[in-house]
Amino acid sequence: MAALLEVRGLKAFYGQTQSLYDVGFEIESGGITTLLGANGAGKTTTLRAICNMVRTDGSIRFEGRDLKNMATEEIVRLRIAHVPEGRGTFTTLTVDENLRIAAYTRKDKSAVQTDLERVFTYFPRLKERVQQQAGTLSGGEQQMLAIARALMLKPRLMLLDEPSFGLAPLIVVEIFRIMRRINEEEGVSMLLVEQNAALALDLADHAYVLETGRVVMSGPSDEIKNDENVRKSYLGY
Ligand code: ATP
């Protein structure tokens, strides 16, 4: 199957500092790929590079199109939705306003109400809190809102930056279950950055391990899960 996203020889720079050296990976259409690695390995930077939020060199192709010189807004219009670390919701706006703003780039405005309802089927907790200010939601609910917002873009590809960060285990399990449903029912492909390697490897079909800006290991998740080094370093058994 042709790759939906193909990244080759990716380098990234913050000013004079180079953070990615030679990163390459693929996501199959309908697939879920995870990037694992310790703090500072370059996972967040890789997501930023795809959205052209950091200076890069190398090749990033989405459905064969080169994203390299595209503005971040154009990349969003290709229906690549970034769920950043820290969630990026508007804390003083309500749940409803956050979701409607997310749909502003869409041309089919009349379908937005239908899509709100569709998004609420995945996130009934948000439906119950539709007029609540986003900043007063629990951490788990805010993460749900961040994913729901991305879903309002009708994404082909979601870039998810540590959705489990700072959340209690039960809510993390719930969020990962919803992500699986979104992948299966909506056909949304995903690139998932995670510290929680066990959960990420359960969800993803392919995994890449980053170390100081380089891919040091890659393969089907089942193989990576059983690799002794990965088990010791990331799974803790
Ligand atoms: P974490 O799990 O801690 O978020 P990460 O794998 O996502 O780590 P990145 O945030 O991509 O790692 O960071 C990769 C490297 O780039 C680190 O050395 C970091 O210090 C550096 N870096 C990240 N953001 C900036 C920035 N805005 N300016 C300068 N250096 C940065």
Side-chain angles (χ1 to χ4, degrees), residues 35 38 42 47 60 100 106 118 120 125 129 142 167 171 178 186 193 215:
L35 297 181
L47 300 192
I60 305 174
R100 286 179 192 276
R106 287 185 34 192
R118 180 180 56 88
F120 286 143
R125 276 170 188 251
R129 292 165 176 79
Q142 290 195 29
L167 303 180
I171 197 93
I178 295 170
E186 311 270 326
V193 158
V215 174

Side-chain angles (χ1 to χ4, degrees), residues 110-127:
S110 58
V112 168
Q113 187 59 39
T114 317
D115 280 328
L116 270 176
E117 291 305 323
R118 180 180 56 88
V119 165
F120 286 143
T121 62
Y122 294 102
F123 299 101
R125 276 170 188 251
L126 294 181
K127 185 167 187 177

Side-chain angles (χ1 to χ4, degrees), residues 12 14 21 32 53 81 104 106 122 130 171 179 188 201:
Y14 293 104
Y21 291 87
I32 303 180
M53 295 163 74
Y104 86 104
R106 287 185 34 192
Y122 294 102
V130 73
I171 197 93
M179 283 159 46
V188 179
L201 288 167

Side-chain angles (χ1 to χ4, degrees), residues 14 19 38-45 48 85 162 195:
Y14 293 104
S19 289
N39 289 118
K43 306 180 298 297
T44 295
T45 303
R48 288 193 190 134
E85 61 183 344
E162 289 207 42
Q195 294 273 352

Side-chain angles (χ1 to χ4, degrees), residues 52-219:
N52 208 356
M53 295 163 74
V54 56
R55 187 163 66 84
T56 59
D57 198 3
S59 152
I60 305 174
R61 301 185 81 82
F62 179 70
E63 294 183 313
R65 292 168 76 163
D66 189 356
L67 301 189
K68 190 74 195 316
N69 295 311
M70 283 192 195
T72 302
E73 306 85 81
E74 287 177 78
I75 293 170
V76 172
R77 278 194 205 100
L78 295 176
R79 294 160 54 199
I80 298 179
H82 188 193
V83 183
E85 61 183 344
R87 290 147 202 167
T89 51
F90 298 103
T91 52
T92 59
L93 300 185
T94 64
V95 167
D96 184 66
E97 288 164 338
N98 267 281
L99 294 175
R100 286 179 192 276
I101 283 178
Y104 86 104
T105 54
R106 287 185 34 192
K107 296 200 178 78
D108 52 342
K109 298 286 180 208
S110 58
V112 168
Q113 187 59 39
T114 317
D115 280 328
L116 270 176
E117 291 305 323
R118 180 180 56 88
V119 165
F120 286 143
T121 62
Y122 294 102
F123 299 101
R125 276 170 188 251
L126 294 181
K127 185 167 187 177
E128 290 160 16
R129 292 165 176 79
V130 73
Q131 294 307 332
Q132 193 171 325
Q133 235 187 349
T136 66
L137 296 171
S138 73
E141 290 157 3
Q142 290 195 29
Q143 184 62 60
M144 289 179 182
L145 179 58
I147 299 172
R149 227 170 53 140
L151 202 51
M152 287 299 288
L153 286 169
K154 286 208 162 175
R156 307 278 326 279
L157 173 65
M158 266 193 195
L159 310 176
L160 295 141
D161 200 341
E162 289 207 42
S164 75
F165 187 78
L167 303 180
L170 271 182
I171 197 93
V172 171
V173 168
E174 187 179 340
I175 288 173
F176 271 64
R177 226 178 257 145
I178 295 170
M179 283 159 46
R180 184 184 291 284
R181 271 188 63 204
I182 291 171
N183 168 256
E184 289 176 356
E185 295 173 24
E186 311 270 326
V188 179
S189 309
M190 296 180 176
L191 177 59
L192 169 67
V193 158
E194 257 299 335
Q195 294 273 352
N196 188 330
L199 266 178
L201 288 167
D202 274 343
L203 182 66
D205 46 79
H206 281 81
Y208 293 76
V209 180
L210 289 185
E211 256 174 44
T212 53
R214 293 177 178 84
V215 174
V216 292
M217 197 185 299
S218 65

